Amino acid sequence: RPPAVVVHREAKKQLNAPPRDDVVVDAIKIWSPAPGARLDFHQVISEVANIARRYHVTDGVHRDLHCGDAVDGELRAFGIGSKEQSVSSAAQATRWHLLASRVRAHTLRLVDGEAGAAAVKELCDLQLRLHSMGRIEVGAPNRKNAHDDICDALALAIEAARDLPATGEGVHFDIQVTRGDEGIDVVTSWYELRPAAGGGFVRLPASAPVGSAAWEAGLRARQERGQWQPGDPELPRGPGVSAKVRE
């Protein structure tokens, strides 16, 4: 069950307090083989590369030692760089400490949906085991269908996030729901706040941020019209979009 986790750091202003420094999980992807089947290595790496391009990650894919050279070479064939991270006991202990600190301080924001629920379940099931010579191991309980793959990737991503610059308050959105004769209409408008000359803030229209559902919907609509651009991530194709367009 190889997982991929995408995160970024986000700074938020607080009244009479230092800014919050959150780690925000943008995406979690898990590859699980069908019963009796094996995963297609090249397909998995292709999807990892697409996820990296979608979030503009070209040289910051952090990975463990598993299939290290093969993974690195395959990613580089897609134009994506990677960095191998140590999985020594000391390195893992540091990562688990960072993850636990984020959870206790409520400065870790997970994605919604099934992937987020799977991450929460793994976090709740984690067990700490003390071995000889004081070595501490954190992992899934020793029972059938218990996993800690997402938590491993999440701990690795949180450690890597320490070197990322924190984004600001960023882009906001409003959702307007209206009911008409033809049903319910939902409109999402994105905006950013800029300082006004006379004080306060002025609200300016903004594009949906990269990786958001609205951004992906707009990208998919453009691609289905055949309007591909260099660097576009490859989203699942809809009807009428040919392979020639992608080339």
Side-chain angles (χ1 to χ4, degrees), residues 37-138:
R38 301 183 65 178
L39 288 173
D40 185 327
F41 175 78
H42 300 289
Q43 179 63 29
V44 171
I45 298 301
S46 172
E47 293 183 22
V48 170
N50 276 328
I51 292 171
R53 283 196 294 262
R54 182 182 305 180
Y55 291 95
H56 293 210
V57 179
T58 56
D59 196 34
V61 176
H62 291 245
R63 54 180 175 79
D64 60 19
L65 307 179
H66 184 65
C67 300
D69 291 340
V71 171
D72 182 64
E74 195 78 9
L75 281 174
R76 290 190 183 281
F78 285 100
I80 305 295
S82 70
K83 302 173 183 177
E84 187 172 279
Q85 305 299 310
S86 171
V87 289
S88 67
S89 298
Q92 286 292 84
T94 298
R95 292 182 191 116
W96 290 120
H97 173 72
L98 291 171
L99 174 58
S101 298
R102 288 284 179 184
V103 172
R104 285 194 295 265
H106 303 284
T107 56
L108 173 63
R109 287 161 48 194
L110 295 171
V111 293
D112 295 325
E114 294 183 6
V120 170
K121 185 178 187 309
E122 284 193 13
L123 286 168
C124 293
D125 286 345
L126 283 178
Q127 293 183 348
L128 187 148
R129 292 182 281 271
L130 182 63
H131 295 273
S132 60
M133 305 297 293
R135 184 172 66 88
I136 294 176
E137 177 188 7
V138 178

